[in-house]
Amino acid sequence: MLPQKQAEEAIVSNLTEMELETREEEKDEEEQQSLFSVKSLLWHGGSAWDAWFSCASNQVAQVLLTLPYSFSQLGMLSGILLQIFYGLMGSWTAYIISVLYIEYRSRKEKENVSFKNHVIQWFEVLDGLLGPYWKAAGLAFNCTFLLFGSVIQLIACASNIYYINDKLDKRTWTYIFGACCATTVFIPSFHNYRIWSFLGLGMTTYTAWYLAIAAFVHGQVDGVTHSGPKKLVLYFTGATNILYTFGGHAVTVEIMHAMWKPQKFKYIYLLATLYVFTLTLPSASAVYWAFGDELLNHSNAFSLLPKNGFRDAAVILMLIHQFITFGFACTPLYFVWEKVIGMHDTKSICLRALARLPVVIPIWFLAIIFPFFGPINSAVGALLVSFTVYIIPALAHMLTYRKASARQNAAEKPPFFMPSWTAMYAFNAFIVVWVLVVGFGLGGWASMTNFIRQIDTFGLFAKCYQCKPPPPTGAAAAAANHH
């Protein structure tokens, strides 16, 4: 018992050191900002509440508008059950990621490694716990997922603003919003998203309840049908979009590192998910109830709701929130790029912003090539989210604690609701097999089939994806009448 007690004391000591070091990192800035308490209040966050707002705000943004489309592919019952299933599964893997972060950091601090002016990232956790091959896998999947996550936010901006102002096509709006979103290079880290996370969640909450209430007020369209699920391709495409919805924890490590007490993160993502359920379930169900199979050809829920002041407000608020979510997805990419070019320790915000700009260019370009709002979510979910935030974390946890000595000296013991290491191992194995077969295998087949169909129908560089055709000109109309 004595060695175990000493190990536990060492862990407590390491966690206290972690907390003190994180506090020391903040102290310099807090002293400088003591005269600017309002700036500190709005700009500088690291509490458990900040982390909760960041997780909830980041988890559901533009995907809120595509969930009714997924319901039309899945049917009402499957849509609701899969949201709950993947929401809880996502919360578990976010918990696993937080445990591995604490393990990595406590081991490094035993070696007197300092993380002042250094943001720990997921690929570094994998490197420290499992070696360079895992680092390479984590880096490849995480960066590619976050790259396309940023692309999706940019596509969504163009798709949404079109419903307020259709004088410009969606591709032109993508150029404009690409330039706007590039300003996120000036936000140094997740510490500085305090006010943005708070506002973002408020905006999403308004939009979700607008969708639900507007759908009920509108009522069911004439001859509405709810025939989903009709085809396996559509069913697994919709399921994979929901997998994507609750796979927003690719930035978990960066959010944890921004906390003053990272060990408090454990259940924050679950609490954020429970709140997100109150937004996604009512809105998706109500819009699908009102419009049914019409949604199969309208991946953006805004396109079917009547144009009025409430809808315009929802569109504008979602645009602002998508700007924030773009920053969430891009910030870890900025960190990786800074580390590659040796600028990560630079304190000048302007120099770092300048160094980050090359990251935005490929995102801008990809958003113009693949403007398929809706289908691209499912493709990214199947091919990238499945590995990035489900399979790799579950496998990493199984391998990190495969030895009895690692389990005995673990910085975090199994949670109270699953106190057995065997049960944790079995549940992680289930996640790996399920997501590999259903998410990556069947979901990958279905979403890529659907994605290729969009390319065949609309072509790459589509100027205005799913836009109404322009009214015929006078000459064209006369010719049509003549024939």
Side-chain angles (χ1 to χ4, degrees):
M1 287 298 290
L2 188 60
Q4 186 175 350
K5 188 176 179 183
Q6 287 173 342
E8 286 174 2
E9 284 173 359
I11 289 163
V12 171
S13 168
N14 278 322
L15 291 178
T16 309
E17 283 171 22
M18 185 191 306
E19 190 179 317
L20 285 170
E21 184 180 301
T22 316
R23 279 287 185 187
E24 280 170 16
E25 287 174 21
E26 312 306 323
K27 200 175 287 179
D28 296 338
E29 292 179 40
E30 283 177 4
E31 284 171 1
Q32 290 171 14
Q33 292 177 0
S34 59
L35 297 175
F36 305 99
S37 56
V38 174
K39 179 184 173 185
S40 180
L41 178 70
L42 300 179
W43 179 250
H44 200 70
S47 69
W49 277 107
D50 288 310
W52 183 83
F53 276 112
S54 292
C55 289
S57 176
N58 183 49
Q59 192 174 144
V60 59
Q62 52 73 35
V63 79
L64 192 69
L65 307 175
T66 65
L67 283 174
Y69 168 65
S70 295
F71 269 50
S72 69
Q73 297 168 321
L74 291 163
M76 186 76 81
L77 181 62
S78 288
I80 292 169
L81 291 177
L82 282 171
Q83 275 203 46
I84 295 168
F85 176 68
Y86 282 128
L88 296 176
M89 188 186 283
S91 300
W92 172 257
T93 50
Y95 168 78
I96 289 297
I97 291 169
S98 73
V99 166
L100 294 173
Y101 168 86
I102 296 292
E103 182 67 41
Y104 168 77
R105 189 159 178 174
S106 62
R107 287 187 190 182
K108 285 295 176 185
E109 281 167 356
K110 284 178 188 174
E111 300 166 10
N112 296 317
V113 175
S114 172
F115 293 107
K116 191 169 185 178
N117 296 326
H118 181 93
V119 176
I120 297 172
Q121 294 189 267
W122 175 231
F123 68 89
E124 292 167 322
V125 172
L126 291 171
D127 185 28
L129 297 176
L130 295 170
Y133 292 112
W134 281 84
K135 173 186 176 179
L139 188 60
F141 277 108
N142 222 36
C143 288
T144 312
F145 166 46
L146 292 170
L147 181 80
F148 277 96
S150 305
V151 168
I152 288 167
Q153 298 308 323
L154 207 47
I155 294 168
C157 285
S159 177
N160 289 344
I161 192 65
Y162 183 77
Y163 297 115
I164 289 182
N165 184 338
D166 58 5
K167 291 183 175 64
L168 298 176
D169 58 75
K170 290 181 182 178
R171 188 166 67 194
T172 305
W173 280 119
T174 304
Y175 292 135
I176 293 166
F177 278 100
C180 295
C181 288
T183 58
T184 56
V185 296
F186 289 100
I187 302 176
S189 76
F190 283 97
H191 279 300
N192 312 110
Y193 274 95
R194 166 173 273 184
I195 187 62
W196 296 114
S197 298
F198 176 76
L199 291 174
L201 192 57
M203 293 165 186
T204 311
T205 301
Y206 170 87
T207 303
W209 285 106
Y210 158 74
L211 290 174
I213 294 166
F216 279 125
V217 170
H218 181 278
Q220 290 187 311
V221 294
D222 293 336
V224 65
T225 54
H226 299 87
S227 58
K230 277 202 298 190
K231 296 179 181 175
L232 277 178
V233 169
L234 294 179
Y235 187 85
F236 285 109
T237 301
T240 314
N241 188 37
I242 293 179
L243 179 83
Y244 168 84
T245 302
F246 294 99
H249 44 289
V251 294
T252 298
V253 169
E254 288 84 357
I255 291 173
M256 281 187 75
H257 192 81
M259 293 177 71
W260 295 317
K261 297 180 181 178
Q263 62 271 31
K264 283 190 172 183
F265 183 87
K266 286 186 291 185
Y267 304 118
I268 284 174
Y269 196 87
L270 174 62
L271 296 173
T273 300
L274 294 176
Y275 179 77
V276 166
F277 282 153
T278 69
L279 306 181
T280 57
L281 289 170
S283 60
S285 304
V287 176
Y288 179 54
W289 169 82
F291 297 101
D293 290 349
E294 275 190 45
L295 285 157
L296 287 168
N297 298 314
H298 295 82
S299 56
N300 190 326
F302 282 145
S303 63
L304 290 171
L305 291 165
K307 183 175 172 60
N308 55 35
F310 293 111
R311 192 190 79 163
D312 288 353
V315 170
I316 291 164
L317 292 176
M318 281 305 288
L319 285 171
I320 300 168
H321 187 212
Q322 279 151 213
F323 164 81
I324 297 164
T325 313
F326 181 93
F328 267 113
C330 244
T331 299
L333 295 176
Y334 296 152
F335 292 155
V336 172
W337 179 246
E338 286 170 357
K339 290 170 185 176
V340 168
I341 62 173
M343 294 284 284
H344 190 57
D345 296 334
T346 306
K347 290 190 176 180
S348 166
I349 290 177
C350 291
L351 272 178
R352 286 178 73 183
L354 198 62
R356 290 170 168 190
L357 275 175
V359 176
V360 181
I361 294 166
I363 294 168
W364 209 348
F365 186 63
L366 287 166
I368 293 161
I369 298 178
F370 304 116
F372 312 127
F373 183 62
I376 194 172
N377 293 16
S378 298
V380 169
L383 305 180
L384 298 171
V385 173
S386 55
F387 282 94
T388 305
V389 294
Y390 292 100
I391 294 172
I392 289 176
L395 274 176
H397 189 272
M398 291 163 73
L399 292 174
T400 299
Y401 297 110
R402 67 190 182 280
K403 293 180 180 175
S405 57
R407 295 193 293 272
Q408 185 178 348
N409 298 317
E412 287 284 340
K413 301 300 179 188
F416 69 91
F417 56 87
M418 199 179 284
S420 158
W421 283 103
T422 306
M424 286 187 79
Y425 192 93
F427 192 56
N428 284 334
F430 165 75
I431 288 173
V432 171
V433 173
W434 177 274
V435 176
L436 197 59
V437 174
V438 177
F440 177 71
L442 295 170
W445 159 72
S447 58
M448 286 311 296
T449 302
N450 191 34
F451 192 74
I452 291 165
R453 190 177 297 147
Q454 305 303 314
I455 295 174
D456 291 341
T457 306
F458 296 95
L460 298 175
F461 298 96
K463 194 170 184 180
C464 209
Y465 176 66
Q466 286 190 342
C467 298
K468 290 179 182 176
T473 60
N481 290 332
H482 176 71
H483 288 295

